[in-house]
Amino acid sequence: MYIIIGSVVGLLFILVTIISIYHNKFQFCIIKIDEAENNIGVLLDKKRELLERTRPIIKKELKLEEFLEKINDWDSNNFNHFEINSILKDCSYDLFKLLDENEKLYKSEALVSIIEELNDNEDMIVGSINYYNDNVVEFNKLVVSFPSKLVAFLFRYKKKQFHNNEKREMYEILNEK
């Protein structure tokens, strides 16, 4: 009788230990993912602000009525970071296309300064997205592997979405093996 009770208590202890260890791993990944999302949000806000600062300069220099009107046409509260990043990439593409077509714009020191800030900002966005994706890979590995899969089921953790297709494809290849 004591052997059965001891075995049950031992198994319960092992089960609780496994759950707490893996739940902590999930929580650590979630904290890092949230941190990366916050950084991406701040950087995307900065990118939008920088793009908005280019508008009056370019409108004045090229005597345009409209430029990068997409920035005004949406409210960032209605979109997630994935969608905002896509919209801002399109705006950046339009800006750099216009710069390539009109080299006289490079004479404006204010515009050149903004472009440099925009390039630095883009590098930081890429770094933050890579950090986010690396942590999503770790989180998704925990969701699909044993014994953490049991913890994911208990706490209803689901796979998270990647910021770009490169990491998603790499993860799917690893998942198939």
Side-chain angles (χ1 to χ4, degrees), residues 1 8 18 22 35 84 98 129 141 155 161:
M1 181 73 165
V8 170
I18 289 172
Y22 281 101
E35 175 189 349
I84 293 170
L98 190 68
I129 288 173
K141 282 182 190 176
F155 291 96
Q161 187 179 4

Side-chain angles (χ1 to χ4, degrees), residues 35-51 81-82 84-90 92 96 116-134 163-164:
E35 175 189 349
E37 285 179 329
N38 289 335
N39 288 343
I40 291 168
V42 168
L43 291 168
L44 290 175
D45 288 343
K46 175 76 173 172
K47 184 174 184 176
R48 182 178 184 174
E49 183 261 325
L50 289 169
L51 288 168
H81 291 153
F82 304 106
I84 293 170
N85 191 28
S86 178
I87 292 168
L88 292 176
K89 274 186 179 181
D90 291 344
S92 292
F96 286 107
E116 288 173 3
E117 282 185 69
L118 200 54
N119 287 331
D120 291 343
N121 178 269
E122 187 62 33
D123 290 343
M124 289 188 283
I125 290 172
V126 168
S128 292
I129 288 173
N130 287 339
Y131 180 74
Y132 172 88
N133 285 338
D134 289 344
H163 245 287
N164 61 24

Side-chain angles (χ1 to χ4, degrees), residues 1 7 9 23 27-28 50 56 93 101 117 148 151 155-156 158 161 163 172 175:
M1 181 73 165
S7 298
V9 169
H23 183 62
Q27 289 302 309
F28 189 63
L50 289 169
Y93 175 78
E101 294 169 355
E117 282 185 69
S148 59
V151 176
F155 291 96
R156 295 187 177 121
K158 304 285 184 211
Q161 187 179 4
H163 245 287
E172 292 301 327
N175 197 23

Side-chain angles (χ1 to χ4, degrees), residues 147-159:
S148 59
K149 187 174 192 172
L150 298 173
V151 176
F153 177 76
L154 285 173
F155 291 96
R156 295 187 177 121
Y157 294 134
K158 304 285 184 211
K159 286 195 233 178

Side-chain angles (χ1 to χ4, degrees), residues 29-166:
C29 283
I30 289 169
I31 289 168
K32 293 191 316 186
I33 289 168
D34 288 345
E35 175 189 349
E37 285 179 329
N38 289 335
N39 288 343
I40 291 168
V42 168
L43 291 168
L44 290 175
D45 288 343
K46 175 76 173 172
K47 184 174 184 176
R48 182 178 184 174
E49 183 261 325
L50 289 169
L51 288 168
E52 285 176 348
R53 285 179 36 203
T54 65
R55 291 174 63 206
I57 298 168
I58 290 176
K59 283 181 175 181
K60 180 182 174 191
E61 291 290 324
L62 298 179
K63 298 174 179 46
L64 297 174
E65 290 292 320
E66 294 183 0
F67 179 67
L68 295 181
E69 298 304 317
K70 292 180 210 175
I71 291 177
N72 290 340
D73 293 343
W74 53 277
D75 179 16
S76 61
N77 295 328
N78 296 332
F79 295 99
N80 63 35
H81 291 153
F82 304 106
E83 296 164 327
I84 293 170
N85 191 28
S86 178
I87 292 168
L88 292 176
K89 274 186 179 181
D90 291 344
C91 290
S92 292
Y93 175 78
D94 293 344
L95 170 66
F96 286 107
K97 183 179 174 189
L98 190 68
L99 287 170
D100 288 342
E101 294 169 355
N102 300 285
E103 292 196 18
K104 72 178 185 176
L105 292 172
Y106 287 108
K107 293 179 183 174
S108 168
E109 289 180 28
L111 185 60
V112 169
S113 174
I114 293 170
I115 298 302
E116 288 173 3
E117 282 185 69
L118 200 54
N119 287 331
D120 291 343
N121 178 269
E122 187 62 33
D123 290 343
M124 289 188 283
I125 290 172
V126 168
S128 292
I129 288 173
N130 287 339
Y131 180 74
Y132 172 88
N133 285 338
D134 289 344
N135 286 296
V136 167
V137 166
E138 290 301 314
F139 182 85
N140 288 348
K141 282 182 190 176
L142 288 171
V143 169
V144 298
S145 62
F146 184 81
S148 59
K149 187 174 192 172
L150 298 173
V151 176
F153 177 76
L154 285 173
F155 291 96
R156 295 187 177 121
Y157 294 134
K158 304 285 184 211
K159 286 195 233 178
K160 294 199 177 272
Q161 187 179 4
F162 293 96
H163 245 287
N164 61 24
N165 292 331
E166 177 184 310

